[in-house]
Amino acid sequence: GVVRAMHNVCTHRGTQLTDEEAGKKSTFSCRYHMWTFGSDGALLSAPDFERFGLDKKDCALRQVACEVHGGLIFVNFDRNPQQSLREFLGPLAEGMEKVPCAHATQFSEYVYEIDANWKLTYDNFQESYHLRFIHPSTGKATFAPTNPFGYPAAQELHDPHRTQTIWTNPDGASLMTPGQLLGFTMGAKAVMRGDVPENPENRKYFAVFPSFFMLGSSGNNFSHTVYPIGPEKSRGVIRLYWINDDKTPGTRFGREYGMALTRDIHSEDISVIEAGQRGLSSGALEHVHF
C-alpha cells in the first residue's frame, strides 16, 4: 500500500538489478551474485552472507524520496528533501489535484527525441508567440483577429513555477476541419458523461520547475516532461490521461484523435527547436530576447 522509489543498483558491487523498464515482481535478484531484495528494498538473502561480517539491514537498496500528488508520482534524488512536495509546488498544488489526471485510470504515451538541449526544448512550450507561424493548421482554433498570437488569457508566476490559462477562440469551431470538429465534439461529450470531471482549472497550464508541464484541459489532459540526455539532445515524454475505459466507438475516436492532434502539434515544433539549437551552438549570439 506504499509507493517507494529505489535506485536500480545492487548494494554489493553496484550492478544494475534489472533491465526491464516496467513489470511486476515481489523480489529483485542480482544476476552477478544472487543478492535478493524485497519490494521494500530490504536485503532478503545473499549466498554465504555470514562471511561478509555485515548486517542485512545495512545492505538495503538505496531509497530516494517519493511522494504522490494529483495522481502523479514525483521522485526527489535528495535523500532528505528540505521541503515536502506540497511545499515545493506551493500555489500549484491545489489546482493540480483537480485536473483529470488526478482521477485517471489509464493513459496513452509517446516519446520523441530531439537534437536540442532541454532548456531550449522546454521554453518552446512555454510561449504562444510562435503559434500562428508554426501551427497555422493544427492550432488555428487558438488564435483569432482579436488575439492574433493566441496569447494566454491569464498568467501567474510562482517562483520557480508558473501557470497560464490557455485562450480559446470562441469561434474556433468554425475554423476546424470536419475531423477536428468531430474529435472535439467527442471530447466534449466525454465531459458531459462524467468521464472527465469539469473544474475551474480547465484550460490551465501548470509548469513545474524545472522541466514538467501539464495542461489541465478536460478534453485533452496531458503531461509533458523534457529530460536532458546530452548537451544538445533531449527526450520528451508525453502522456494523455483518460478516466474509465472506452465505452463507445465515439469515445475511442475522440481519444485517438486527441492523441494524434497532440502528436502532430509537437512534431511541428521539433524542426524549429533544432534549428534554434544549431543557431545558438554557432556562437553567433551572446544573448536571446524574451
Side-chain angles (χ1 to χ4, degrees), residues 10 12-16 29-35:
C10 179
H12 174 213
R13 298 289 294 275
T15 310
Q16 187 172 319
S29 296
C30 179
R31 59 185 175 181
Y32 202 175
H33 301 97
M34 290 306 296
W35 281 37

Side-chain angles (χ1 to χ4, degrees), residues 128-151 166-175 203 268:
S128 305
Y129 190 32
H130 72 282
L131 293 181
R132 64 183 289 187
F133 311 110
I134 305 302
H135 310 296
S137 176
T138 56
K140 61 186 175 184
T142 59
F143 44 82
T146 54
N147 188 2
F149 299 101
Y151 289 144
I166 303 299
W167 183 83
T168 302
N169 182 1
D171 299 319
S174 64
L175 302 174
R203 306 300 292 172
E268 292 171 341

Side-chain angles (χ1 to χ4, degrees), residues 55-118:
D55 193 321
K56 284 185 178 179
K57 66 179 178 58
D58 296 324
C59 300
L61 296 180
R62 298 294 185 260
Q63 296 205 26
V64 294
C66 173
E67 292 188 55
V68 178
H69 186 85
L72 297 169
I73 300 172
F74 290 81
V75 168
N76 186 337
F77 288 101
D78 186 344
R79 294 186 187 179
N80 299 295
Q82 298 181 3
Q83 56 185 170
S84 68
L85 175 61
R86 180 171 282 276
E87 290 171 335
F88 171 70
L89 293 175
L92 275 66
E94 184 176 354
M96 291 176 65
E97 290 178 315
K98 298 177 181 178
V99 297
C101 176
H103 311 278
T105 54
Q106 55 179 301
F107 65 87
S108 302
E109 176 185 280
Y110 70 91
V111 179
Y112 68 87
E113 293 198 357
I114 183 170
D115 291 326
N117 71 61
W118 70 273

